[in-house]
Amino acid sequence: MISITEKTLQDLQFPTVLETLSSLCNTDIGKQKALQIIPFKEKEVLMDALLQTSEYLTSFQNNNAIPNHGFEAITNELKFLAIEDSFLEVGSFRKIATISETSNILLLFLKKFDEYYPKLNSKASAIEITKVIIGLIDDVVDKYGEIKDNASPSLLDIRRNMNSVRGKVNQSFGVALTQYNGLGYLDEIKESFVQNRRVLAVLAMYRRKVKGSILGSSKTGSIAYIEPELTLQYSRELSNLEYEEKEEITRILKQLTDAIRQFLPLLIQYQEFLSDIDVIASKAKYAQRINGILPKINEERKLFFKEAFHPILYLNNKLQNEITYPQTFELHQEKRIIVISGPNAGGKTISLKTVGLLQLMLQSGMLIPVHERSETFLFDRILTDIGDNQSIENHLSTYSYRLKNMNYFLKKCNNKTLFLIDEFGTGSDPELGGALAEIFLEEFYHREAFGIITTHYSNLKILANELPFAINANMLFDEKSLEPIYKLVLGQAGSSFTFEVAQKNGIPFGLINRAKKKIEVGKVRFDKTIANLQKERSKMEKTSQTLKEEESKAREEGKKMESINVKIKQKLESYQELYDSNQRLIYMGQKIDDIAEKYFNSKNKKELLGEFLKIVEIENSKRKKATVKESKIIEVKKKEIIKEVTVHVEKIRIEKKEKKLKANTIIIKPKPILKVGDRVRMHDGKAVGSIDKIEKNKAIVNYGVFTSTVSLEALEFVESKK
């Protein structure tokens, strides 16, 4: 059973959040309900509320927006319906019809889109959908809130007679006006209205000559206002009909009220449902403003608020275009208590309040501004001791009040409690108050309660360091400017920077030194060590930030290099393919050249064709087996190629003969003696290879991809072996 006191709500500024929620409601009842929100007592009800708010928030981003659910309150009408024999005025029925129609539209919508809004529809499914109420009212009342003529047969007859008599009234008055105006009895204004009745403006001297009833006179007495005699008769008849109409309308309204009275429980449900949806909508709007989400709710006693914002501070800073710094908090079974220390104005209290307020909001069905990987569990109690607690009413000092509060904590504190204490132990003698605070903290620790405290007391910092499941924390300060960085760092106590801040604020150095001599050397050294550690931590934070930026840049450069590398690889692959293709062609050329050389020397066409067919067969074996049709095509092409090769070989033979003839006429230059390892190429070729072996007048040349046996005469020296 969850129990959270009014004091805790006030300490954590929960009413300020509720005021903002209230301002976002569309209806007066919704506004009142928003101001009365308190944490839910039952987990199941709370989870439903959280999921309903989350579903409504999603409606802002999808195409199935939830219909309007605004309404005019029918609270007074419901009170009258509860009273036997009472009846409602005609305007009230129009309000009832409107709220019924709005409810039906919303209920049908949620039923239709149950897939999108399962929890909202679950809430709606308990309410009856009916158009009977609207039908009953529409039969009697028109859209302008007036009773219809055909609301009953009697009313229809009465109104017909009234229209007829009104015609007679106007007609008789018109006759009298024409008659007496012709006789010159009337004033220039001729007619007027007295007591809501049409009268003739008769000159006083002629008033006895006009038949009718005198209803008044002008201020000067020069004009008498007379209703003509015949018109008076019809007016009386009209008054009687008006009375009958009023009586009939009252009868109709009573009858309609009795018909609607049976739907009183449903109408109460409609108003409650619409006002609840109004509050849920305001929670969703608030979540949208503060970037609120629903974190994971666990059963493992773990609170992890990553990048949490204080919602009130966030919205205020947003209005003033100022930065709000998020904080990260983690509490679990092996890290139950956080002791935050450090100088004033560093953000300790705001950090403390952030955890408490976000937990309160969540347990009240609101979404909270944290990272999506955050999670928490539900506390039965949240105990707070924050701010100036001097009790004027009870004539208690701050310390006395705090002791009373600690006594209450000791009674209520257990393993399902979150306690938040600001400036723990202050208000009394530092040594004695610190010692008592230490005992309280140990007691809370042994009861396995979760808690966050802020303090300046060194003994509490030391205790947090000694207790296995407690941890120190501090708010970072810039070591040079001594300005707060508003970042909570876990794992290390914070210095109060007492003397440093005093020096920054212009206190003479001599006075600060005298103050240092007044206190224990050990304490100064301890505080100085903490201050130095904080400075180092601050430097590390900056270095870490710089490294992160550099890492980010390096990552971007790496991505660029990777992209370039992929392109280079692609180019190399294409070049390799081209190279392989060219080498294959060179190999084929070398083979054909060898065959041509043999043919040139032997003139054996059969051997030529045999060698050539061998090459073709080797190449074809590398290809896939062709179809019969393709085989025929290949055969034809093979014959063409053989013919072309024969022509080409003949051409080579002729060219070689011509070269021999030229060689006989040209002075032969001394030819270098080729050795194994020399780089060579064929006289008419471009491919360069190295000699692997020389046998008699032939050399085996290695071209990398293949080797070829070539006559030494056909080779041209390129360079010696390296």
Side-chain angles (χ1 to χ4, degrees):
M1 195 71 159
I2 296 168
S3 173
I4 295 171
T5 65
E6 181 64 30
K7 179 187 179 303
T8 295
L9 301 178
Q10 292 293 336
D11 280 353
L12 296 172
Q13 296 175 278
F14 189 64
T16 305
V17 173
L18 298 187
E19 284 169 14
T20 308
L21 273 187
S22 178
S23 69
L24 295 172
C25 289
N26 294 327
T27 65
D28 291 335
I29 297 176
K31 289 177 189 294
Q32 288 300 316
K33 279 189 173 183
L35 292 172
Q36 292 162 9
I37 290 173
I38 57 170
F40 287 91
K41 296 184 185 300
E42 303 296 334
K43 184 183 177 182
E44 292 75 15
V45 183
L46 167 61
M47 291 310 299
D48 284 348
L50 285 169
L51 291 168
Q52 285 162 11
T53 305
S54 186
E55 285 175 6
Y56 203 108
L57 181 61
T58 62
S59 74
F60 298 146
Q61 281 86 40
N62 65 38
N63 296 324
N64 303 310
I66 293 173
N68 168 56
H69 42 76
F71 66 95
E72 192 177 349
I74 56 168
T75 309
N76 289 331
E77 285 75 9
L78 295 174
K79 287 178 182 176
F80 272 102
L81 284 172
I83 301 169
E84 200 66 35
D85 294 332
S86 63
F87 70 93
L88 301 175
E89 294 298 325
V90 65
S92 296
F93 288 107
R94 195 71 265 158
K95 285 162 67 177
I96 290 171
T98 302
I99 202 170
S100 298
E101 190 171 4
T102 303
S103 298
N104 281 345
I105 290 169
L106 186 54
L107 293 169
L108 288 167
F109 172 86
L110 293 173
K111 187 176 182 180
K112 182 180 178 182
F113 293 102
D114 175 67
E115 187 180 345
Y116 290 92
Y117 310 112
K119 283 295 176 183
L120 287 170
N121 185 43
S122 175
K123 181 181 180 67
S125 60
I127 303 168
E128 182 187 350
I129 299 171
T130 178
K131 295 199 174 180
V132 174
I133 297 171
I134 301 165
L136 288 169
I137 294 170
D138 283 349
D139 287 346
V140 174
V141 185
D142 64 20
K143 61 182 178 179
Y144 304 108
E146 299 293 334
I147 298 291
K148 291 180 177 179
D149 291 347
N150 60 354
S152 77
S154 298
L155 184 63
L156 186 61
D157 287 343
I158 291 168
R159 286 187 171 173
R160 280 175 181 168
N161 291 336
M162 285 173 69
N163 288 333
S164 174
V165 172
R166 281 194 189 101
K168 290 176 181 178
V169 167
N170 290 333
Q171 186 183 7
S172 63
F173 187 87
V175 170
L177 179 68
T178 305
Q179 180 189 348
Y180 292 121
N181 189 44
L183 294 170
Y185 293 169
L186 303 182
D187 185 64
E188 288 179 0
I189 63 171
K190 295 181 184 178
E191 63 175 289
S192 185
F193 277 90
V194 175
Q195 299 170 14
N196 205 29
R197 289 157 77 175
R198 199 176 174 192
V199 291
L200 297 170
V202 181
L203 293 169
M205 64 185 76
Y206 300 119
R207 69 176 182 271
R208 295 186 185 278
K209 294 186 177 183
V210 176
K211 292 181 179 179
S213 174
I214 297 173
L215 298 181
S217 61
S218 64
K219 289 181 181 178
T220 58
S222 61
I223 300 171
Y225 296 118
I226 302 173
E227 185 176 13
E229 188 175 33
L230 191 56
T231 303
L232 180 60
Q233 288 176 16
Y234 290 133
S235 292
R236 284 172 181 163
E237 190 177 344
L238 184 61
S239 294
N240 291 335
L241 287 170
E242 284 173 348
Y243 177 78
E244 286 178 26
E245 181 196 35
K246 188 178 177 183
E247 287 292 303
E248 181 59 18
I249 286 173
T250 300
R251 189 192 67 77
I252 290 167
L253 290 177
K254 281 182 177 179
Q255 189 177 359
L256 182 58
T257 302
D258 287 340
I260 298 297
R261 186 171 277 119
Q262 63 181 310
F263 295 101
L264 176 60
L266 182 59
L267 290 172
I268 292 169
Q269 273 188 305
Y270 281 168
Q271 180 159 280
E272 281 297 303
F273 173 67
L274 291 179
S275 57
D276 284 349
I277 294 293
D278 193 22
V279 174
I280 292 167
S282 73
K283 288 179 181 179
K285 290 173 195 171
Y286 188 67
Q288 192 178 38
R289 285 190 182 186
I290 61 173
N291 303 317
I293 64 153
L294 173 57
K296 178 186 173 185
I297 308 294
N298 64 60
E299 300 286 345
E300 302 150 17
R301 280 173 50 80
K302 180 182 179 183
L303 181 151
F304 176 56
F305 287 158
K306 184 180 179 183
E307 295 171 14
F309 288 91
H310 190 287
I312 300 169
L313 183 66
Y314 175 78
L315 291 179
N316 288 343
N317 285 348
K318 197 175 178 182
L319 283 173
Q320 297 166 21
N321 291 321
E322 292 181 4
I323 299 170
T324 309
Y325 298 90
Q327 307 292 355
T328 296
F329 307 91
E330 186 172 13
L331 292 168
H332 51 77
Q333 191 59 30
E334 295 181 358
K335 188 168 69 179
R336 298 194 294 267
I337 296 173
I338 298 175
V339 177
I340 307 175
S341 49
N344 291 327
K348 297 194 304 294
T349 304
I350 284 292
S351 296
L352 185 85
K353 285 184 174 181
T354 300
V355 176
L357 182 56
L358 294 187
Q359 191 68 31
L360 267 185
M361 286 170 61
L362 192 69
Q363 294 194 201
S364 303
M366 294 178 228
L367 308 185
I368 57 174
V370 293
H371 189 277
E372 59 187 10
R373 282 173 52 201
S374 300
E375 59 179 296
T376 188
F377 67 102
L378 304 178
F379 292 97
D380 284 358
R381 289 190 182 85
I382 299 175
L383 304 174
T384 57
D385 190 352
I386 300 170
D388 183 10
N389 293 306
Q390 189 163 8
S391 174
I392 296 169
E393 297 86 351
N394 297 322
H395 307 287
L396 294 174
S397 68
T398 301
Y399 191 60
S400 297
Y401 188 88
R402 301 198 83 159
L403 284 176
K404 276 190 77 175
N405 220 20
M406 285 305 103
N407 191 35
Y408 178 76
F409 277 33
L410 291 170
K411 287 177 183 175
K412 301 292 181 182
C413 200
N414 59 28
N415 64 354
K416 292 182 180 177
T417 301
L418 173 67
F419 65 88
L420 305 164
I421 307 172
D422 191 29
E423 301 295 349
F424 192 31
T426 56
S428 179
D429 177 273
E431 297 296 327
L432 304 178
L436 198 55
E438 196 173 328
I439 297 302
F440 288 146
L441 188 58
E442 284 178 349
E443 188 62 28
F444 299 151
Y445 176 85
H446 291 308
R447 293 190 187 185
E448 298 188 3
F450 281 31
I452 302 175
I453 68 167
T454 70
T455 188
H456 289 290
Y457 284 6
S458 299
N459 64 316
L460 295 179
K461 301 177 195 178
I462 294 166
L463 180 62
N465 197 47
E466 290 172 348
L467 294 171
F469 302 146
I471 188 169
N472 274 301
N474 71 85
M475 303 302 296
L476 278 187
F477 256 61
D478 188 286
E479 75 277 3
K480 290 180 181 176
S481 65
L482 288 176
E483 292 295 327
I485 299 174
Y486 300 107
K487 185 166 185 181
L488 181 72
V489 178
L490 298 175
Q492 182 183 309
S495 167
S496 298
F497 286 102
T498 307
F499 297 126
E500 290 86 346
V501 173
Q503 191 174 338
K504 184 184 178 243
N505 284 284
I507 304 300
F509 193 67
L511 292 179
I512 292 170
N513 272 339
R514 282 167 59 190
K516 284 181 180 179
K517 290 173 185 176
K518 293 278 185 184
I519 60 174
E520 295 173 20
V521 177
K523 191 168 183 180
V524 175
R525 284 175 64 193
F526 178 72
D527 200 72
K528 188 177 180 182
T529 303
I530 291 174
N532 289 336
L533 284 168
Q534 270 192 260
K535 287 176 184 178
E536 288 301 319
R537 175 63 69 92
S538 183
K539 285 178 186 174
M540 284 172 68
E541 283 287 327
K542 287 180 180 176
T543 306
S544 175
Q545 187 63 33
T546 308
L547 285 171
K548 279 180 184 175
E549 288 171 6
E550 287 177 3
E551 184 188 353
S552 180
K553 287 178 185 175
R555 202 178 289 117
E556 286 176 15
E557 289 296 325
K559 283 180 182 176
K560 286 180 185 175
M561 291 300 290
E562 198 175 321
S563 176
I564 292 165
N565 193 29
V566 168
K567 288 178 183 176
I568 289 168
K569 276 185 180 177
Q570 287 171 351
K571 283 190 177 181
L572 281 172
E573 283 170 8
S574 61
Y575 285 143
Q576 185 65 46
E577 285 172 11
L578 183 62
Y579 175 77
D580 291 346
S581 177
N582 288 339
Q583 289 296 336
R584 183 173 165 277
L585 291 172
I586 289 165
Y587 171 71
M588 291 289 291
Q590 291 291 345
K591 284 282 185 186
I592 291 168
D593 194 54
D594 287 346
I595 295 165
E597 179 75 23
K598 281 183 183 179
Y599 178 70
F600 179 74
N601 293 326
S602 65
K603 304 291 187 295
N604 189 338
K605 285 187 180 180
K606 191 175 181 181
E607 188 182 351
L608 170 71
L609 292 172
E611 287 289 336
F612 181 73
L613 283 170
K614 194 188 288 183
I615 292 169
V616 171
E617 288 298 330
I618 289 166
E619 287 302 311
N620 281 348
S621 69
K622 296 175 186 175
R623 297 185 176 93
K624 290 180 180 177
K625 290 182 179 178
T627 59
V628 176
K629 192 177 178 181
E630 287 171 339
S631 297
K632 287 178 181 178
I633 294 165
I634 289 165
E635 195 64 37
V636 173
K637 285 189 176 180
K638 194 187 289 183
K639 286 176 181 177
E640 288 174 1
I641 291 166
I642 291 167
K643 191 177 178 182
E644 284 176 15
V645 168
T646 307
V647 173
H648 183 63
V649 167
E650 190 62 35
K651 202 181 282 184
I652 290 168
R653 190 173 63 77
I654 293 162
E655 284 174 0
K656 287 204 173 185
K657 272 185 181 179
E658 288 173 356
K659 279 181 184 177
K660 275 188 178 181
L661 288 169
K662 283 181 184 178
N664 292 331
T665 57
I666 297 164
I667 299 164
I668 298 166
K669 290 180 182 179
K671 192 174 181 181
I673 297 166
L674 299 174
K675 303 185 294 295
V676 173
D678 286 347
R679 302 274 287 169
V680 293
R681 69 172 161 234
M682 301 206 38
H683 290 299
D684 296 327
K686 291 181 181 178
V688 177
S690 60
I691 297 173
D692 282 353
K693 194 175 181 182
I694 297 173
E695 291 178 352
K696 295 180 182 179
N697 64 337
K698 292 193 176 183
I700 297 170
V701 183
N702 189 339
Y703 288 95
V705 178
F706 62 89
T707 59
S708 177
T709 304
V710 186
S711 173
L712 287 170
E713 293 295 325
L715 292 173
E716 180 185 340
F717 176 80
V718 176
E719 62 179 354
S720 298
K721 180 182 178 183
K722 291 182 180 178

